[in-house]
Amino acid sequence: MKTLICTLLLGLCAGFVQAAEKDKSFTIKFSHVVADDTPKGQGALLFKQLVAERLGGRVQVEVYPNSSLYGDANELQALQNGDVQMLAPSLAKFSQYTQQLQVFDLPFLFDDLDSVNRFQKGAKGRQLLSAMEKHNVTGLAYWHNGMKQLAANRALIRPNDAAGLSFRIQPSPVIESQFAQLGAKAVKLPFAETPNALRAGTIQGTENTWSNIHSQHYVEQLPYLTESNHGVLDYMLVSNTQFWYSIPHAIRMELEDIIVEVTYTVNQAAEQQNQNDRQKLLAGGKAQVTALNEAEREAWRGAMRPVWQQYEGEIGADIIRAAERANRSSKSLASY
Ligand code: SIN
C-alpha cells in the first residue's frame, strides 16, 4: 500500500514538473556595445520585436545597447556565467576562445562585403560558428557591419603616414600586428572607452566602419578619414550553449527561424546604413574623407600583407584559402 502511494505521489510530482517545464518562460538579455542606430543595434531591436510578436509570453527579450549592462571587458564572461543570454561581439573579440576566427581580421583579405558573405555561407564559415562550443559559446549567425576605414588626427594617404601614431584597436593580435607593420602603436581599448581616450589625446587614430565612426562622433578629434576598406568588421551572434539547448525544441526552432529572418534584414541593410553614415559625415562638414586610388591602396596592401604569413599557422591555411576563394576574382590567390 505504502509503495503504491509513493508511486502515485512520484507520478503526480513528475506531472507537475513536466507541466511547469512546458509552460516555463525564458528571458533573453541581449547586451551589446554600440548605438541603436547601427546595423547591430537595429538587428537586436528587430529580434526583440519579432520574438514579442511570435513568442510573447514564452520568451522575452531585453536589449541593452551602448555597453549599458556589460562592455567589451566582461560581456563574454557574463555570457558564459549565464548573466546574459545573447551577444553579438565583433569577430575580432573572440581570439581568447579560438584563433581561427582571426581570419576575419587579416587586412585586405576580402574584396568587399559580398565576398565576406560568400565565405560566411560556405562550409568553412559555417564550421567556425561552432568553434567555441567547448567554451559554452554557440554561434547562431553572422551579422554584417561593414568594411573598416581609417580615422586619424592627420591625413593618412601613404602607409608611413601612420608611423608614430597610437591607434585604438579591438583586442585582436592580428590587428595589433597590422599596425605594427606601419610603425604605429596599437592600443587595445574597449569600444566604450574610446571616446574618452580620444578626448584625452592618448590615441590619435583608429579603424572602424562608417556607422561606428559616425555614431561615436570620432571626427571631433579624428577628422581625417581614409576610405581604405582594408578589412571587415562583422559580428557573430552568440548564445550560452547550455542555455540555448535548454530551450524546448519547438521554441528554439521558432527562435532560430526569427534569427534567420533578422540576419537577412541586417545583412541586406548594413551596407546601405554605412553608406548613409558616410554621407552624413561628409555633409557634417568636419570630416575630410580621402578615397585611396588604386596605387595608394596597393601600397597599404603591400605594407599590411606580411601579417598573413605571421598568422597562417594559428588560423589555418585551409581557412585563409577558403576566404580567398570567396573573392569573386580570387586574384590574390596566386600571390599568396
Ligand atoms: C562593435 O561594432 O560592436 C564595436 C566594434 C569595436 O569595438 O570597434
Side-chain angles (χ1 to χ4, degrees), residues 287-303:
Q288 296 207 24
V289 179
T290 303
L292 297 177
N293 65 33
E294 234 353 273
E296 287 161 348
R297 198 173 142 76
E298 211 37 53
W300 283 90
R301 189 178 151 86

Side-chain angles (χ1 to χ4, degrees), residues 32-34 38 40 72 75 88-90 93 145 168-171 189-192 194 206-209 211-212 218 233 235:
H32 68 81
V33 301
V34 291
T38 58
K40 177 163 61 181
D72 284 335
E75 66 175 13
S90 151
K93 294 179 182 167
N145 184 332
R168 177 271 166 173
I169 63 161
Q170 304 180 76
L189 261 190
F191 188 64
T194 306
T206 192
E207 54 163 29
N208 224 306
T209 57
S211 62
N212 281 343
Y218 289 163
L233 193 161
Y235 306 112

Side-chain angles (χ1 to χ4, degrees), residues 90-143:
S90 151
L91 294 164
K93 294 179 182 167
F94 291 109
S95 58
Q96 57 180 315
Y97 301 120
T98 170
Q99 294 181 323
Q100 294 178 319
L101 282 173
Q102 295 183 116
V103 67
F104 289 101
D105 297 337
L106 290 178
F108 292 99
L109 173 56
F110 296 105
D111 287 348
D112 50 30
L113 218 48
D114 285 344
S115 306
V116 177
N117 211 32
R118 279 190 289 276
F119 174 66
Q120 290 173 347
K121 288 193 162 142
K124 291 276 181 224
R126 282 183 281 117
Q127 265 170 32
L128 292 178
L129 287 171
S130 26
M132 297 176 288
E133 298 271 338
K134 68 170 186 277
H135 298 285
N136 200 20
V137 176
T138 288
L140 300 168
Y142 292 106
W143 284 2

Side-chain angles (χ1 to χ4, degrees), residues 68-83:
S68 54
L69 189 60
Y70 292 100
D72 284 335
N74 52 9
E75 66 175 13
L76 275 158
Q77 190 60 57
L79 184 86
Q80 289 173 303
N81 294 346
D83 296 330

Side-chain angles (χ1 to χ4, degrees), residues 146-197:
M147 301 305 282
K148 292 185 289 188
Q149 321 301 338
L150 293 162
N153 65 355
R154 65 181 188 225
L156 303 179
I157 313 297
R158 288 166 297 274
N160 60 9
D161 292 333
L165 296 183
S166 289
F167 285 80
R168 177 271 166 173
I169 63 161
Q170 304 180 76
S172 154
V174 172
I175 298 176
E176 190 172 20
S177 301
Q178 167 196 288
F179 281 105
Q181 285 297 126
L182 307 174
K185 190 170 166 221
V187 183
K188 292 178 185 161
L189 261 190
F191 188 64
E193 288 175 27
T194 306
N196 274 345

Side-chain angles (χ1 to χ4, degrees), residues 255-313:
L255 285 170
E256 289 184 2
D257 283 351
I258 291 172
I259 288 170
V260 169
E261 210 172 310
V262 175
T263 299
Y264 180 80
T265 306
V266 170
N267 289 352
Q268 288 291 307
E271 177 61 11
Q272 192 53 52
Q273 184 153 7
N274 273 297
Q275 290 310 318
N276 292 347
D277 287 339
R278 178 185 180 279
Q279 284 310 321
K280 285 185 205 159
L281 284 162
L282 284 171
K286 284 191 176 141
Q288 296 207 24
V289 179
T290 303
L292 297 177
N293 65 33
E294 234 353 273
E296 287 161 348
R297 198 173 142 76
E298 211 37 53
W300 283 90
R301 189 178 151 86
M304 290 178 167
R305 182 64 181 265
V307 170
W308 289 32
Q309 295 282 336
Q310 214 177 321
Y311 287 90
E312 179 182 302

